[in-house]
Amino acid sequence: MRIRIVGAGAMGRGIAQWAAVAGHTVELCDVRTEAVTAAVDFVRSMLERAVQKGRMTSGDAAAALERLVPLDDPWAGGPDVELVVEAVREDLDTKAEVFGKLEQALPDSTVFATNTSSLPVTRIAASLRDPGRLAGLHFFNPVPLMKIVEIVPGAATRPEIPRVLTALVESCGHRAVTVADTPGFLVNHAGRGLVTEALALLEESVADPAGIDRIARDVLGLRMGPFELMDLTGLDVTAAVIDSIWQGFRHEDRLRPSFLTPNRVTAGLHGRKTGQGWFAYGPEAPSPAPEAPVTGDADRPVFVAGGEGDALRNALSAAGASVESGPGPSEGAVVLVPVWGTTAAAAVAALGLPASRTFGVDPLPPAGRRRVLAVTPASGPAAARDARAVLARAADGGEPYAVSVVRDTAGSVAQRLLASVVSVAASIAERSLATPADIDLAVTAGLGYPAGPLAWGDRIGAARLLDLQRALHATTGDPRHRPTRWLTERAQLGLPLTDPGTSPADCA
């Protein structure tokens, strides 16, 4: 296939490298000829590096470079060009102008694709005489390594075009997912579940950014915490995406932005690129403060209360802790209450527990060696230190657990992050914006989560996850936590969250 790529920036040169290596002839052009020269040099250096690392032969690299054709004039005729991929700046008028000129220069049979990450594909296509020839083809940076592409049909896109683009993407070694033309498409939309809930936790002073990130990594198994991720992406970019998706979905509570971001963006606290974000960067930046050491009495008696307590009780007993049995705690015991969508404070009131020495514990099985202890306004500091020491104990002389101390909140940190990730994905499935399989594929490939959000929810179980979300909603009163219909129905019917279910069309 002969492909013309308009725009030789980071995305354009990445797409060019990807297509040329896969065997396609690639015309690379830009209104700035120096950008094309720089892009070709960059691709050459990437191919040379691949040869040095043994990932391709020198002959294959030379052949790929020969297939990369610098083009002086983006609007030149091209009777053999079968596909155009536009990768210019994210501005609707600019993109419309580019496609308008291409429509005059290229045959009617040429398929047009836009790499937009945020603009409606339908609005871009509307400027054309034939809007049916254009679809979204959204790559992620760096293109050769991020092996997922979103294919986004506009409202007028001809039905055969997504099939053609899917075949092209998969023949070049990437995976393709088809996504509705909605704000954020799929990956950016699904990614709001993590960062918006992390910001909400910070708003409520449940933990600081470093503390939330530790829990996200060590309990949920994420490669990066949400605040690290925002610093990497750039808070200016993240905040704009959050606002755009929230506005596009008509102020959906589940996607609600945080009041924390606008002032930080204005102040230039964008993250790595400015040297200061949620964390500091650069050679002169101070190292992150380490966690406070565990200093309490690990031998203090402990009483585990509540219906969620069996697993914790058994684990602490196996670690040699002095775990009390019986109907209630002794005068000297600290009390641990595993909470699922509720608070330690509610357990104190409901079970008549001693407020100064009762603490919440997250029963979510951790991906790493970290437990989470929640303190209430009535907690005694000495008792909290002892509770932390008890929770740090490990069985059979194993490595002690790290123990995060957070403010008591419904569901604790990891539960709220996970519930939000699953809830946003379930909302995407509920609206039929993408299939369950494509949601999980795109999110694992595009965001690097340890599992697709719907499959992740199935690990917990639909019924148990529904209990969590109902408890979060009832405890907080915040509509952001209300369960989706997708989750509720599957819990009631005994179906996994990954099951697309039967639609009326299936029965016609």
Side-chain angles (χ1 to χ4, degrees):
M1 178 180 286
R2 193 173 188 89
I3 302 172
R4 180 176 297 182
I5 297 172
V6 181
M11 294 305 299
R13 69 193 186 192
I15 299 167
Q17 178 184 335
W18 168 79
V21 167
H24 299 284
T25 300
V26 179
E27 298 177 351
L28 182 59
C29 52
D30 195 289
V31 292
R32 298 175 299 116
T33 55
E34 65 273 16
V36 178
T37 302
V40 172
D41 290 343
F42 176 84
V43 172
R44 181 183 293 107
S45 69
M46 290 297 100
L47 297 179
E48 289 172 351
R49 182 181 300 180
V51 171
Q52 292 168 2
K53 293 186 175 182
R55 294 175 181 166
M56 66 189 309
T57 68
S58 57
D60 287 343
L65 202 57
E66 283 186 14
R67 289 190 290 269
L68 184 56
V69 181
L71 197 65
D72 293 334
D73 181 7
W75 329 122
D80 298 329
V81 175
E82 298 174 68
L83 171 68
V84 170
V85 181
E86 165 272 312
V88 303
R89 67 189 182 94
E90 283 289 275
D91 176 75
L92 183 64
D93 291 338
T94 301
K95 290 180 185 293
E97 180 183 0
V98 165
F99 281 117
K101 292 180 178 178
L102 289 168
E103 192 173 36
Q104 296 176 19
L106 297 176
D108 293 344
S109 58
T110 304
V111 173
F112 289 170
T114 173
N115 184 54
T116 182
S117 60
S118 60
L119 298 173
V121 171
T122 301
R123 290 186 65 187
I124 297 170
S127 63
L128 297 173
R129 293 193 305 269
D130 177 13
R133 71 193 299 185
L134 186 143
L137 192 63
H138 181 212
F139 293 83
F140 295 85
N141 193 31
V143 174
L145 299 181
M146 297 293 288
K147 296 183 178 297
I148 190 73
V149 183
E150 294 178 331
I151 294 172
V152 189
T157 302
R158 290 193 291 272
E160 70 273 12
I161 288 179
R163 293 194 293 268
V164 169
L165 295 177
T166 297
L168 168 68
V169 167
E170 297 191 341
S171 71
C172 294
H174 278 31
R175 300 293 299 275
V177 292
T178 301
V179 189
D181 185 18
T182 52
F185 304 144
L186 176 49
V187 173
N188 282 333
H189 184 174
R192 297 318 94 202
L194 179 67
V195 294
T196 54
E197 195 61 34
L199 288 165
L201 288 162
L202 186 61
E203 283 182 3
E204 299 166 29
S205 301
V206 174
D208 64 11
I212 294 170
D213 278 358
R214 291 187 191 106
I215 294 169
R217 291 191 305 266
D218 297 344
V219 178
L220 296 181
L222 294 169
R223 290 204 294 262
M224 296 184 73
F227 293 96
E228 292 175 298
L229 180 61
M230 283 187 270
D231 273 359
L232 178 64
T233 304
L235 186 62
D236 53 335
V237 174
T238 298
V241 171
I242 291 173
D243 288 347
S244 173
I245 293 175
W246 179 65
Q247 291 164 6
F249 281 99
R250 298 297 187 262
H251 298 178
E252 163 64 51
D253 289 302
R254 223 179 298 279
L255 304 170
R256 188 170 66 238
S258 169
F259 69 79
L260 296 173
T261 58
N263 280 350
R264 297 185 69 88
V265 171
T266 301
L269 302 175
H270 298 170
R272 290 178 181 269
K273 62 188 176 184
T274 60
Q276 180 69 54
W278 301 109
F279 309 106
Y281 301 91
E284 304 300 323
S287 300
E291 287 188 89
V294 175
T295 59
D297 179 6
D299 295 320
R300 182 169 177 172
V302 61
F303 180 81
V304 180
E308 293 274 350
D310 287 346
L312 179 62
R313 192 177 295 112
N314 293 338
L316 293 178
S317 295
S322 178
V323 180
E324 295 185 346
S325 58
S330 68
E331 289 295 324
V334 293
V335 182
L336 302 179
V337 185
V339 291
W340 191 249
T342 57
T343 63
V348 167
L351 302 176
L353 299 170
S356 66
R357 50 194 173 96
T358 296
F359 307 92
V361 178
D362 189 346
L364 198 64
R369 298 192 67 77
R370 181 174 297 276
R371 289 170 172 155
V372 181
L373 181 75
V375 298
T376 72
S379 295
R385 288 191 288 271
D386 292 345
R388 186 172 181 235
V390 172
L391 276 181
R393 299 183 68 135
D396 302 324
E399 180 186 353
Y401 281 86
V403 181
S404 294
V405 181
V406 302
R407 182 178 182 177
D408 187 33
T409 186
S412 197
V413 173
Q415 291 174 37
R416 279 182 54 175
L417 293 176
L418 179 57
S420 182
V421 166
V422 176
S423 186
V424 170
S427 178
I428 293 171
E430 183 177 290
R431 291 183 168 105
S432 299
L433 307 184
T435 67
D438 279 355
I439 293 169
D440 278 359
L441 170 62
V443 170
T444 51
L447 298 177
Y449 290 0
L454 299 177
W456 206 348
D458 283 337
R459 290 182 184 179
I460 305 299
R464 183 161 169 75
L465 199 58
L466 180 60
D467 288 343
L468 171 61
Q469 294 194 353
R470 281 176 169 167
L472 289 172
H473 191 204
T475 303
T476 65
D478 191 335
R480 72 188 294 119
H481 298 301
R482 73 189 187 283
T484 60
R485 187 182 76 242
W486 187 271
L487 171 63
T488 303
E489 288 179 339
R490 278 152 183 76
Q492 293 168 338
L493 298 170
L495 295 174
L497 298 179
T498 49
D499 191 328
T502 302
S503 70
D506 296 329
C507 306

Short mmCIF file of all heavy atoms in Angstrom, two decimals, residues 418-458:
data_model
loop_
_atom_site.label_atom_id
_atom_site.label_comp_id
_atom_site.label_asym_id
_atom_site.label_seq_id
_atom_site.Cartn_x
_atom_site.Cartn_y
_atom_site.Cartn_z
N LEU A 418 -9.97 1.14 42.33
CA LEU A 418 -10.40 0.01 41.51
C LEU A 418 -11.86 0.14 41.12
O LEU A 418 -12.23 -0.11 39.96
CB LEU A 418 -10.16 -1.29 42.26
CG LEU A 418 -10.59 -2.57 41.53
CD1 LEU A 418 -9.90 -2.69 40.17
CD2 LEU A 418 -10.30 -3.80 42.38
N ALA A 419 -12.72 0.51 42.07
CA ALA A 419 -14.14 0.66 41.76
C ALA A 419 -14.36 1.69 40.66
O ALA A 419 -15.19 1.50 39.77
CB ALA A 419 -14.91 1.06 43.02
N SER A 420 -13.59 2.78 40.68
CA SER A 420 -13.74 3.81 39.67
C SER A 420 -13.25 3.34 38.30
O SER A 420 -13.89 3.59 37.28
CB SER A 420 -12.97 5.07 40.10
OG SER A 420 -13.13 6.10 39.15
N VAL A 421 -12.10 2.64 38.28
CA VAL A 421 -11.58 2.11 37.02
C VAL A 421 -12.61 1.17 36.37
O VAL A 421 -12.90 1.27 35.17
CB VAL A 421 -10.25 1.37 37.26
CG1 VAL A 421 -9.86 0.53 36.06
CG2 VAL A 421 -9.14 2.37 37.58
N VAL A 422 -13.16 0.27 37.16
CA VAL A 422 -14.14 -0.68 36.63
C VAL A 422 -15.43 0.03 36.23
O VAL A 422 -16.04 -0.27 35.20
CB VAL A 422 -14.42 -1.80 37.65
CG1 VAL A 422 -15.51 -2.74 37.14
CG2 VAL A 422 -13.15 -2.58 37.95
N SER A 423 -15.83 1.00 37.04
CA SER A 423 -17.10 1.68 36.79
C SER A 423 -17.07 2.47 35.48
O SER A 423 -18.03 2.43 34.70
CB SER A 423 -17.40 2.62 37.96
OG SER A 423 -18.68 3.20 37.83
N VAL A 424 -15.97 3.19 35.22
CA VAL A 424 -15.88 3.95 33.98
C VAL A 424 -15.87 3.00 32.78
O VAL A 424 -16.52 3.25 31.76
CB VAL A 424 -14.63 4.85 33.99
CG1 VAL A 424 -14.38 5.46 32.61
CG2 VAL A 424 -14.80 5.96 35.03
N ALA A 425 -15.14 1.89 32.89
CA ALA A 425 -15.13 0.92 31.79
C ALA A 425 -16.50 0.30 31.58
O ALA A 425 -16.94 0.10 30.44
CB ALA A 425 -14.10 -0.18 32.09
N ALA A 426 -17.20 -0.01 32.67
CA ALA A 426 -18.54 -0.57 32.55
C ALA A 426 -19.50 0.43 31.90
O ALA A 426 -20.39 0.05 31.13
CB ALA A 426 -19.05 -0.99 33.93
N SER A 427 -19.31 1.71 32.19
CA SER A 427 -20.14 2.75 31.57
C SER A 427 -19.88 2.81 30.07
O SER A 427 -20.82 3.02 29.27
CB SER A 427 -19.83 4.09 32.23
OG SER A 427 -20.58 5.14 31.64
N ILE A 428 -18.62 2.63 29.65
CA ILE A 428 -18.30 2.59 28.22
C ILE A 428 -18.99 1.41 27.55
O ILE A 428 -19.58 1.53 26.47
CB ILE A 428 -16.77 2.51 28.03
CG1 ILE A 428 -16.10 3.81 28.50
CG2 ILE A 428 -16.41 2.24 26.57
CD1 ILE A 428 -14.59 3.74 28.55
N ALA A 429 -18.95 0.24 28.20
CA ALA A 429 -19.61 -0.94 27.65
C ALA A 429 -21.12 -0.76 27.62
O ALA A 429 -21.79 -1.14 26.64
CB ALA A 429 -19.24 -2.16 28.49
N GLU A 430 -21.66 -0.17 28.67
CA GLU A 430 -23.11 0.04 28.78
C GLU A 430 -23.63 0.91 27.65
O GLU A 430 -24.72 0.69 27.13
CB GLU A 430 -23.39 0.68 30.13
CG GLU A 430 -24.85 0.91 30.46
CD GLU A 430 -24.98 1.50 31.86
OE1 GLU A 430 -24.71 0.76 32.83
OE2 GLU A 430 -25.31 2.69 31.97
N ARG A 431 -22.84 1.89 27.24
CA ARG A 431 -23.24 2.78 26.15
C ARG A 431 -22.92 2.20 24.77
O ARG A 431 -23.15 2.87 23.76
CB ARG A 431 -22.52 4.13 26.30
CG ARG A 431 -22.95 4.97 27.49
CD ARG A 431 -22.21 6.30 27.47
NE ARG A 431 -22.76 7.27 28.39
CZ ARG A 431 -22.21 7.62 29.54
NH1 ARG A 431 -21.08 7.04 29.92
NH2 ARG A 431 -22.77 8.52 30.33
N SER A 432 -22.35 1.02 24.73
CA SER A 432 -21.96 0.36 23.47
C SER A 432 -20.95 1.20 22.69
O SER A 432 -20.96 1.22 21.45
CB SER A 432 -23.19 0.07 22.60
OG SER A 432 -24.08 -0.80 23.27
N LEU A 433 -20.07 1.89 23.42
CA LEU A 433 -19.03 2.67 22.75
C LEU A 433 -17.90 1.78 22.25
O LEU A 433 -17.16 2.17 21.35
CB LEU A 433 -18.47 3.73 23.71
CG LEU A 433 -19.50 4.66 24.38
CD1 LEU A 433 -18.80 5.71 25.21
CD2 LEU A 433 -20.41 5.30 23.33
N ALA A 434 -17.75 0.61 22.86
CA ALA A 434 -16.78 -0.40 22.43
C ALA A 434 -17.21 -1.72 23.05
O ALA A 434 -17.95 -1.74 24.04
CB ALA A 434 -15.37 -0.03 22.86
N THR A 435 -16.75 -2.82 22.49
CA THR A 435 -17.10 -4.13 23.04
C THR A 435 -16.28 -4.38 24.31
O THR A 435 -15.20 -3.81 24.48
CB THR A 435 -16.81 -5.25 22.04
OG1 THR A 435 -15.39 -5.34 21.83
CG2 THR A 435 -17.52 -5.01 20.71
N PRO A 436 -16.77 -5.26 25.19
CA PRO A 436 -15.98 -5.58 26.38
C PRO A 436 -14.57 -6.05 26.06
O PRO A 436 -13.60 -5.67 26.72
CB PRO A 436 -16.81 -6.67 27.07
CG PRO A 436 -18.21 -6.42 26.63
CD PRO A 436 -18.10 -5.92 25.22
N ALA A 437 -14.45 -6.90 25.03
CA ALA A 437 -13.12 -7.40 24.67
C ALA A 437 -12.21 -6.27 24.21
O ALA A 437 -11.02 -6.23 24.56
CB ALA A 437 -13.25 -8.47 23.58
N ASP A 438 -12.74 -5.34 23.42
CA ASP A 438 -11.92 -4.22 22.94
C ASP A 438 -11.57 -3.27 24.08
O ASP A 438 -10.48 -2.68 24.10
CB ASP A 438 -12.65 -3.46 21.83
CG ASP A 438 -12.50 -4.14 20.47
OD1 ASP A 438 -11.76 -5.14 20.39
OD2 ASP A 438 -13.14 -3.67 19.50
N ILE A 439 -12.48 -3.09 25.03
CA ILE A 439 -12.17 -2.23 26.18
C ILE A 439 -10.97 -2.79 26.94
O ILE A 439 -10.00 -2.08 27.22
CB ILE A 439 -13.40 -2.12 27.11
CG1 ILE A 439 -14.53 -1.36 26.42
CG2 ILE A 439 -13.01 -1.43 28.43
CD1 ILE A 439 -15.85 -1.43 27.15
N ASP A 440 -11.02 -4.07 27.27
CA ASP A 440 -9.93 -4.67 28.04
C ASP A 440 -8.63 -4.71 27.24
O ASP A 440 -7.55 -4.44 27.78
CB ASP A 440 -10.32 -6.08 28.48
CG ASP A 440 -11.18 -6.08 29.74
OD1 ASP A 440 -11.46 -4.98 30.26
OD2 ASP A 440 -11.58 -7.16 30.19
N LEU A 441 -8.72 -5.01 25.95
CA LEU A 441 -7.52 -5.03 25.11
C LEU A 441 -6.88 -3.65 25.04
O LEU A 441 -5.67 -3.49 25.22
CB LEU A 441 -7.87 -5.52 23.70
CG LEU A 441 -6.78 -5.38 22.64
CD1 LEU A 441 -5.56 -6.22 23.00
CD2 LEU A 441 -7.32 -5.79 21.27
N ALA A 442 -7.69 -2.64 24.77
CA ALA A 442 -7.16 -1.29 24.59
C ALA A 442 -6.56 -0.75 25.88
O ALA A 442 -5.51 -0.09 25.87
CB ALA A 442 -8.27 -0.35 24.10
N VAL A 443 -7.19 -1.01 27.00
CA VAL A 443 -6.71 -0.46 28.27
C VAL A 443 -5.42 -1.15 28.71
O VAL A 443 -4.48 -0.48 29.17
CB VAL A 443 -7.80 -0.56 29.35
CG1 VAL A 443 -7.24 -0.21 30.72
CG2 VAL A 443 -8.96 0.38 29.01
N THR A 444 -5.33 -2.46 28.56
CA THR A 444 -4.09 -3.12 28.96
C THR A 444 -2.94 -2.70 28.05
O THR A 444 -1.82 -2.46 28.52
CB THR A 444 -4.24 -4.65 28.93
OG1 THR A 444 -4.78 -5.06 27.67
CG2 THR A 444 -5.15 -5.13 30.04
N ALA A 445 -3.20 -2.57 26.75
CA ALA A 445 -2.15 -2.17 25.82
C ALA A 445 -1.84 -0.68 25.91
O ALA A 445 -0.68 -0.27 25.83
CB ALA A 445 -2.54 -2.52 24.38
N GLY A 446 -2.86 0.15 26.06
CA GLY A 446 -2.67 1.59 26.04
C GLY A 446 -2.29 2.20 27.37
O GLY A 446 -1.60 3.22 27.42
N LEU A 447 -2.72 1.58 28.48
CA LEU A 447 -2.47 2.17 29.80
C LEU A 447 -1.59 1.29 30.67
O LEU A 447 -1.15 1.71 31.74
CB LEU A 447 -3.80 2.44 30.52
CG LEU A 447 -4.74 3.44 29.83
CD1 LEU A 447 -6.05 3.56 30.60
CD2 LEU A 447 -4.08 4.81 29.69
N GLY A 448 -1.35 0.05 30.26
CA GLY A 448 -0.45 -0.81 31.00
C GLY A 448 -1.00 -1.34 32.30
O GLY A 448 -0.24 -1.71 33.20
N TYR A 449 -2.34 -1.40 32.46
CA TYR A 449 -2.91 -1.95 33.68
C TYR A 449 -2.61 -3.45 33.74
O TYR A 449 -2.45 -4.10 32.71
CB TYR A 449 -4.43 -1.73 33.71
CG TYR A 449 -4.86 -0.30 33.90
CD1 TYR A 449 -3.93 0.73 34.04
CD2 TYR A 449 -6.20 0.04 33.95
CE1 TYR A 449 -4.34 2.05 34.22
CE2 TYR A 449 -6.62 1.35 34.13
CZ TYR A 449 -5.69 2.35 34.26
OH TYR A 449 -6.08 3.65 34.43
N PRO A 450 -2.56 -4.04 34.94
CA PRO A 450 -2.26 -5.47 35.05
C PRO A 450 -3.35 -6.36 34.48
O PRO A 450 -3.10 -7.55 34.21
CB PRO A 450 -2.10 -5.69 36.56
CG PRO A 450 -2.83 -4.55 37.19
CD PRO A 450 -2.68 -3.38 36.26
N ALA A 451 -4.53 -5.82 34.28
CA ALA A 451 -5.63 -6.55 33.65
C ALA A 451 -6.57 -5.53 33.04
O ALA A 451 -6.58 -4.36 33.44
CB ALA A 451 -6.38 -7.41 34.67
N GLY A 452 -7.34 -5.96 32.05
CA GLY A 452 -8.38 -5.09 31.55
C GLY A 452 -9.36 -4.78 32.66
O GLY A 452 -9.59 -5.62 33.55
N PRO A 453 -9.97 -3.60 32.68
CA PRO A 453 -10.82 -3.22 33.81
C PRO A 453 -12.01 -4.15 34.04
O PRO A 453 -12.38 -4.40 35.19
CB PRO A 453 -11.27 -1.80 33.46
CG PRO A 453 -10.99 -1.63 32.00
CD PRO A 453 -9.85 -2.52 31.68
N LEU A 454 -12.59 -4.68 32.97
CA LEU A 454 -13.73 -5.57 33.17
C LEU A 454 -13.26 -6.94 33.67
O LEU A 454 -13.88 -7.54 34.55
CB LEU A 454 -14.52 -5.70 31.86
CG LEU A 454 -15.11 -4.38 31.34
CD1 LEU A 454 -15.82 -4.58 30.02
CD2 LEU A 454 -16.07 -3.76 32.37
N ALA A 455 -12.15 -7.43 33.11
CA ALA A 455 -11.58 -8.68 33.62
C ALA A 455 -11.11 -8.51 35.06
O ALA A 455 -11.22 -9.43 35.88
CB ALA A 455 -10.42 -9.12 32.73
N TRP A 456 -10.60 -7.35 35.39
CA TRP A 456 -10.17 -7.03 36.75
C TRP A 456 -11.37 -7.10 37.69
O TRP A 456 -11.31 -7.66 38.79
CB TRP A 456 -9.56 -5.65 36.78
CG TRP A 456 -8.55 -5.39 37.86
CD1 TRP A 456 -8.29 -6.16 38.95
CD2 TRP A 456 -7.67 -4.26 37.93
NE1 TRP A 456 -7.30 -5.58 39.70
CE2 TRP A 456 -6.90 -4.43 39.11
CE3 TRP A 456 -7.47 -3.14 37.14
CZ2 TRP A 456 -5.94 -3.49 39.49
CZ3 TRP A 456 -6.51 -2.21 37.52
CH2 TRP A 456 -5.76 -2.39 38.68
N GLY A 457 -12.48 -6.53 37.24
CA GLY A 457 -13.71 -6.61 38.03
C GLY A 457 -14.16 -8.04 38.23
O GLY A 457 -14.65 -8.41 39.31
N ASP A 458 -13.98 -8.88 37.21
CA ASP A 458 -14.37 -10.29 37.34
C ASP A 458 -13.50 -11.03 38.35
O ASP A 458 -13.94 -12.01 38.96
CB ASP A 458 -14.29 -10.98 35.97
CG ASP A 458 -15.49 -10.64 35.08
OD1 ASP A 458 -16.54 -10.25 35.62
OD2 ASP A 458 -15.36 -10.76 33.85
#
